[in-house]
Amino acid sequence: MLEKLPDGYNAVVIGSTGEIGAAILERLRTDERCANAIGLSRGTDLAIDYKAPASLQDAAAKIKAELGEIHFLFIATGILASSDGASPEKAFSQLTPESLSEEFAINAAGPALALSAFMPLLPRNAPCIVASLSARVGSIGDNGLGGWISYRASKAALNQIMHTAAIELGRKNDQAVCVSLHPGTIESELSRPFARDRFTHTADECATNLLGVLSNLTPDQNGGFFDYAGEEIVW
């Protein structure tokens, strides 16, 4: 698993109390080549909160003091519907400023702030991987159905953020891989109300799939958008 990373690599999973994040963290902690796997969320000992950006900087500073560098950063945060309980919009007439703002804050702005805090911990002269959970519906080219406006737009924004981060990271380290990932429709608290039992994988299967995809990517694929089978998704 993640054989291209150095032996004794250090990993950070942001959103480690969600089902996919927890499954990714568990896989890393059973990898003999991983020296340290740290999970971060609002409920962990080293707590972070996108609504308190200083918490991200504080966590990064503490991890840097303890570990020096990290070689693997996985961002597993996200919401599909806003906290007011409304379903994803089927039409623009259902759009509200509150849902739009909340989804952008968590799905796009939060990961951008996490990248700002943790990218300085990545090495300049060793392989490293940065990945964030996106969604196929964030693809503009693949959108043939419409609807889900807030979620689609926030994930499209995330893809732009990740692609831009990949460019910056690649200038500093030609061994870096930074990508967006579509996990599939996972049996989880996030998707259960909307998937109507049309799940592609469990969270554990998803973690295995995504780590397998990341293991096979090369720096030539830095800045890409891939699904759980390793197939590239159109922007």
Side-chain angles (χ1 to χ4, degrees), residues 2-227:
L2 302 179
E3 293 84 359
K4 295 173 184 176
L5 294 182
D7 284 335
Y9 69 88
N10 296 319
V12 170
V13 178
I14 296 175
S16 61
T17 55
E19 277 122 318
I20 296 177
I24 293 286
L25 185 63
E26 178 63 24
R27 294 291 186 283
L28 296 171
R29 287 179 170 170
T30 59
D31 183 2
E32 295 179 353
R33 297 182 59 253
C34 181
N36 299 280
I38 298 174
L40 301 176
S41 75
R42 288 181 295 176
T44 53
D45 291 339
L46 191 55
I48 60 162
D49 189 338
Y50 286 163
K51 295 179 181 178
S55 67
L56 293 162
Q57 296 291 339
D58 290 344
K62 290 175 182 176
I63 292 172
K64 182 177 181 179
E66 180 181 349
L67 304 181
E69 292 182 332
I70 63 172
H71 307 87
F72 183 67
L73 175 64
F74 194 96
I75 302 174
T77 51
I79 59 170
L80 198 153
S82 58
S83 58
D84 61 10
S87 297
E89 310 95 353
K90 294 182 179 179
F92 274 88
S93 60
Q94 299 173 335
L95 188 66
T96 68
E98 293 78 15
S99 65
L100 191 63
S101 296
E102 185 177 7
E103 295 214 30
F104 265 83
I106 295 175
N107 292 341
L113 293 170
L115 290 167
S116 175
F118 284 92
M119 280 176 63
L121 278 64
L122 297 167
R124 288 178 174 266
N125 297 301
C128 65
I129 298 172
V130 179
S132 185
L133 289 182
S134 184
R136 187 180 297 275
V137 297
S139 165
I140 295 173
D142 190 61
N143 181 4
L145 296 176
W148 291 36
I149 299 134
S150 298
Y151 187 64
R152 284 186 186 277
S154 63
K155 287 299 188 179
L158 172 64
N159 288 344
Q160 181 68 281
I161 288 164
M162 291 298 293
H163 188 74
T164 303
I167 293 171
E168 180 175 328
L169 189 57
R171 287 173 179 157
K172 299 175 181 177
N173 183 352
D174 61 7
Q175 300 178 70
V177 173
C178 178
V179 294
S180 292
L181 296 173
H182 167 60
T185 304
I186 306 307
E187 189 173 0
S188 67
E189 184 177 351
L190 178 81
S191 60
R192 200 169 288 119
F194 312 105
R196 298 178 184 175
D197 295 326
R198 294 193 296 266
F199 302 114
T200 55
H201 304 95
T202 66
D204 287 339
E205 292 167 339
C206 174
T208 299
N209 291 339
L210 296 183
L211 288 170
V213 170
L214 293 173
S215 295
N216 291 321
L217 295 180
T218 70
D220 289 340
Q221 295 164 297
N222 182 38
F225 182 19
F226 301 92
D227 71 8

